[in-house]
Amino acid sequence: MLLKTSLRSFFAHKGRMVLSLIAVVLSVAFVSGTLVFSNTATSTFDKLFAATASDVSVQPPKPAEDDEEGRAAVKPPTVPTDLAQKLTGLPGVKSALGQVSVDNAVLVNPSTNKLVGPTTGAPTIVGNWTDTPRNAVDLTSGHLPQGSADLVLDADTAKKAKLGLGDKVRVDNQMGKHDFTIVGIVTFRTTNPGAALAFIDTPTAQKVLLGEQAFTSVEVFGDGSRTNEQIKADALAKVGTGFQAKTAAEQKDESSKAVGQGLDFMTYAMLGFAFVSAIVGIFLIVNTFSMLVAQRTREIGLLRAVGGSRSQVNRSVLVEALILGVLGSTIGIGFGLFVAWGLVKLMNLIGMNLNAADLEISPDVFISGYALGIIVTMVAAWFPARRAGKIAPIEALRDHGTPADARTNLIRTIIGLVLTAGGGAVLVLGGQAEKAADGGQLLGLGVVLTLIGFVVLGPLLAAAVIKVLGAVLPALFGPSGKLAQRNAMRNPRRTGATAAALMIGLALVIAASVFSSSAVTSTSAQIDKTVGVDYILSGGRGAVAPEVIDTVEKTPGIDHVSLQRSFVSSKLQLPDGRVVKNELTAVPPTFFDTDFHPGVVAGSADAVGRGTIGIGETFAKDHNLKVGDQVTVNYGQGHTQNLAVGVVFEKGGLYGSGSFVDLDTLSKAVPVADQPPVFTFFAKAKAGADVAKTLTALEDGLKEYPQLTIKDQAGYKELVQGQINTLLYLIYGLVALSITVAVLGVVNTLALSVVERTREIGLLRAIGLSRRQLRRMIRLESVVIALFGAVLGAGLGLAWGVTAQRVLRDQGLGTLSIPVPTVALTLVASVVIGLIAALIPAFRAGRMNVLAAIATD
């Protein structure tokens, strides 16, 4: 009986459930689509690794933690060439092949001076050609490399770069430029993961890519008589424990983990879309069921009067929510396949080749999709269901709704004030925190508390705020404006829930805008204050070759060049014996003399050039260091050096973290061969030189190095702003989805409100309100609700954004910048959103038959 009643009620009001259904569909579609995409990408690469991995791969020893930067940055780690011969004679080994493979080189088309291969995401891999039992590629045209000038390129890269047999390609790396001719094209057997592959012969690969007679690994293939684990054990016994050996399964797991990490950003972004859609959708569903319960008060009263219990009424509403959740989840999973298809196509555009026809749909897609859809609808419907169960039969029969009692409002007020005040206090504490990590945790907690607090207080704020916001409506629009204002205030709970969905989206917009504006303003201010050089040059993915630096030094108008060599994993032994990690950068004397002017807390910046070490203020405070203290620097690979602290740099600047030593000081402890390469360097124009013309001369002189990034100060500011905007656009995309769902919520509220007020609308029309005035009334009501949500969102967003800037004040965001135009545009946009949301409800209200509306029960 209960199920039958719920089904009949659901399908009787199915038109009123459509927008709530869309909210569920969107949430589930993003979750299921993300899972299908992730499963498809993982499955594709698993197949590739399974088809190409050797049985056992013998690799160089894993570097010690403190050697990781020192060794890997200079050149790829290698194994001796005789290792292949030693492994070939092991029992059960069919072949052992030496492999050279690096990803620190770039391919250049010398005829166009453009990069060949991906510029982001997937790598460019250059190595020697070895014919293995499990080749990843097959030769499809031309021939394999036979001489020192021959190169084989994969077909996908050749096609994208419009290259073919006989065309010239250059391989650039830290050791210089190397010219080759394409003699062969190879095609992937399974799928191309998006990487560019280039093969040359083994002697040339060793010379050009490694600078020595060695391999990067030895790939062992068994004859089937022994397991991979046995071959691995035999190999380690033969070559000694100084090497790594990984079975095919271990290689696959390692590669799959790397792929998963590469996809994490997109996966989390898409799940973020789903999360926001689900949260905003909850408000929409709450409103839908609340209004349906209010409209069915008499029906519920009759059910109670004929013997229906509170729990039966409660369950009846929850069963309707369950039906909505199941239906929305089913449709959402179907739409999720289109989302996954779109993500696959997007990845194809950026270089990762996945086949949209091989979508991997596993049970977790259905489990997650149905779980999300059903939980969201059941949680959202629980509050209206609980209120429905409390309706007394007599109350229901004599009134078309029951107002919230004073006790409920008092409890709501207390809870809302406590949450909001507590959240505000937490935000203040977060902004005052000394450490960014502590401040970030408090910021997150404060965001949650203030958001919940505003949602709880929303109905209580609605009457007061809308009274102010709508005060001009009667004067400007007459009866329509007065009715719109009173209608928006009539049901504060409904208005608050509708506005809350919009509030969340707009709060995120403004908070992100404050953060990005502060980041751009702070960076620009720091560059203007600190940077004395005129040009910043970066090698992109790879190190900068010496000939590039020579070209810059010889460019007319250049005064000098400043290099920097960074040790990411260096360690400092403090005076008390503790050893701590600290990124260390070696720079020339001109660096702090003329090129950069950082703020100084103690000592003098030029002391770095006199054989001391410079440290950041935060590091000095955390470890009780001061000028004159002695520390031992461990550069890795056994290279250490005792230095005195010569300067403490001010926190919050471009060079407020990390440590600095002079290049000459570094050379006394670390041989040039063991020093890390240069990835970024700086150049200063001569006094009186035209900075713009010199920049043009630099670009012309380095045009054959497309991998380089060459910027003057203005260009560098634009680069930083572009990087910040990339994150901002992602946030805006996420917010756009939440606003879309919020607009659906406003449409839903107005549409159901029109149905609820059918008789009232008929009476208004009967006493002289025109269709035009009626439509205007509904549009203004929508605008007031949207503006109410925007005002609350602006307040929250500003509080969150300002706190975020304060938390990161010592990490480069020292200047607070409030984007007033963005805030103003947000408020204006809320008016537009209100007008758009009211189009359909206003149109439907205007078409009502007056007599039929008056006769409605």
Side-chain angles (χ1 to χ4, degrees), residues 22 113 120 181 323 465 492 537 641 693 712 754-755 819 839:
I22 292 175
N113 287 324
T120 59
T181 301
I323 297 170
V465 176
L537 300 94
Q641 191 174 38
K693 289 183 178 179
D712 59 7
V754 166
V755 173
L839 288 177

Side-chain angles (χ1 to χ4, degrees), residues 573-586:
Q573 182 175 344
L574 307 179
D576 60 6
R578 289 181 296 151
V579 176
V580 294
K581 273 188 175 183
N582 188 244
E583 181 177 343
L584 184 141
T585 302

Side-chain angles (χ1 to χ4, degrees), residues 631-822:
V631 297
T632 300
V633 182
N634 184 345
Y635 298 101
Q637 297 180 260
H639 304 304
T640 61
Q641 191 174 38
N642 294 322
L643 298 174
V645 175
V647 60
V648 177
F649 296 112
E650 185 179 46
K651 62 182 178 182
L654 292 179
Y655 292 96
S657 60
S659 301
F660 292 86
V661 297
D662 186 72
L663 281 171
D664 291 336
T665 303
L666 171 70
S667 297
K668 294 176 183 178
V670 183
V672 175
D674 289 343
Q675 293 180 12
V678 175
F679 289 95
T680 301
F681 67 105
F682 311 92
K684 187 171 180 62
K686 292 180 180 178
D690 189 311
V691 175
K693 289 183 178 179
T694 305
L695 175 62
T696 302
L698 274 175
E699 292 172 338
D700 290 342
L702 298 171
K703 62 183 179 182
E704 59 182 322
Y705 301 97
Q707 67 270 31
L708 293 179
T709 300
I710 308 165
K711 299 290 182 183
D712 59 7
Q713 288 193 21
Y716 187 71
K717 290 178 183 178
E718 292 176 1
L719 179 65
V720 172
Q721 184 168 358
Q723 294 170 341
I724 294 171
N725 285 343
T726 300
L727 176 62
L728 190 62
Y729 294 151
L730 174 65
I731 296 173
Y732 282 170
L734 186 149
V735 169
L737 177 67
S738 73
I739 291 176
T740 300
V741 179
V743 170
L744 294 179
V746 178
V747 173
N748 188 60
T749 298
L750 292 174
L752 293 177
S753 180
V754 166
V755 173
E756 184 179 70
R757 290 163 16 207
T758 299
R759 177 182 288 182
E760 176 186 320
I761 290 172
L763 290 172
L764 288 172
R765 290 292 314 284
I767 61 175
L769 192 71
S770 67
R771 287 186 176 182
R772 183 179 179 183
Q773 288 175 314
L774 175 62
R775 289 169 180 164
R776 180 183 295 165
M777 176 191 77
I778 294 174
R779 287 196 297 268
L780 291 175
E781 181 181 349
S782 177
V783 167
V784 169
I785 293 173
L787 197 56
F788 171 56
V791 169
L792 296 186
L796 274 182
L798 287 173
W800 297 348
V802 170
T803 304
Q805 182 272 328
R806 292 300 302 162
V807 168
L808 298 173
R809 64 190 181 278
D810 295 334
Q811 274 64 46
L813 263 71
T815 304
L816 174 64
S817 175
I818 304 294
V820 176
T822 301

Side-chain angles (χ1 to χ4, degrees), residues 53-83:
S54 60
D55 292 323
V56 174
S57 177
V58 179
Q59 302 171 0
K62 186 176 182 180
E65 191 177 354
D66 57 344
D67 285 352
E68 192 170 349
E69 172 68 15
R71 299 189 61 175
V74 178
K75 63 179 182 180
T78 59
V79 299
T81 54
D82 62 354
L83 210 62

Side-chain angles (χ1 to χ4, degrees), residues 272-469:
F273 282 101
F275 176 75
V276 171
S277 178
I279 293 298
V280 176
I282 285 176
F283 292 103
L284 195 159
I285 297 168
V286 167
N287 258 5
T288 298
F289 279 93
S290 294
M291 296 178 76
L292 288 176
V293 166
Q295 292 169 20
R296 290 161 50 199
T297 301
R298 178 167 294 182
E299 175 188 328
I300 293 171
L302 286 171
L303 285 174
R304 293 294 311 281
V306 297
S309 66
R310 286 188 175 187
S311 62
Q312 285 177 316
V313 171
N314 190 310
R315 290 200 300 272
S316 174
V317 176
L318 291 178
V319 168
E320 291 183 47
L322 179 62
I323 297 170
L324 178 68
V326 171
L327 184 59
S329 299
T330 303
I331 299 173
I333 290 172
F335 274 98
L337 298 181
F338 288 100
V339 173
W341 179 85
L343 291 174
V344 168
K345 293 299 181 183
L346 176 63
M347 297 307 291
N348 288 343
L349 289 176
I350 64 177
M352 181 183 288
N353 292 338
L354 299 174
N355 190 349
D358 295 332
L359 294 180
E360 189 79 15
I361 306 172
S362 57
D364 67 325
V365 174
F366 295 96
I367 294 171
S368 301
Y370 280 108
L372 175 66
I374 292 172
I375 290 173
V376 165
T377 51
M378 295 296 282
V379 168
W382 184 81
F383 295 100
R386 186 168 174 268
R387 286 198 296 270
K390 289 184 176 181
I391 295 175
I394 300 302
E395 286 181 350
L397 290 174
R398 71 165 175 253
D399 191 11
H400 192 62
T402 54
D405 57 55
R407 182 171 176 272
T408 300
N409 284 337
L410 178 61
I411 294 174
R412 177 184 284 270
T413 302
I414 294 173
I415 294 175
L417 288 175
V418 169
L419 288 172
T420 304
V426 171
L427 289 177
V428 171
L429 291 175
Q432 295 175 346
E434 288 290 328
K435 295 183 179 180
D438 296 336
Q441 292 177 351
L442 291 172
L443 171 62
L445 178 60
V447 166
V448 172
L449 291 177
T450 51
L451 177 60
I452 297 175
F454 266 54
V455 169
V456 173
L457 285 176
L460 304 175
L461 294 172
V465 176
I466 288 178
K467 188 173 184 179
V468 175
L469 293 176

Side-chain angles (χ1 to χ4, degrees), residues 79-164:
V79 299
T81 54
D82 62 354
L83 210 62
Q85 296 175 349
K86 293 180 180 179
L87 296 171
T88 301
L90 290 177
V93 173
K94 182 179 180 180
S95 61
L97 304 172
Q99 186 176 78
V100 176
S101 180
V102 302
D103 60 5
N104 62 354
V106 296
L107 302 177
V108 178
N109 184 345
S111 64
T112 61
N113 287 324
K114 291 184 178 180
L115 288 175
V116 176
T119 55
T120 59
T124 295
I125 300 173
V126 185
N128 67 324
W129 174 265
T130 53
D131 193 7
T132 76
R134 299 180 196 137
N135 284 336
V137 293
D138 287 322
L139 183 70
T140 50
S141 63
H143 60 82
L144 298 176
Q146 299 171 351
S148 59
D150 294 351
L151 181 141
V152 172
L153 191 64
D154 76 270
D156 292 323
T157 301
K159 181 179 179 181
K160 291 174 184 176
K162 299 180 180 179
L163 295 172

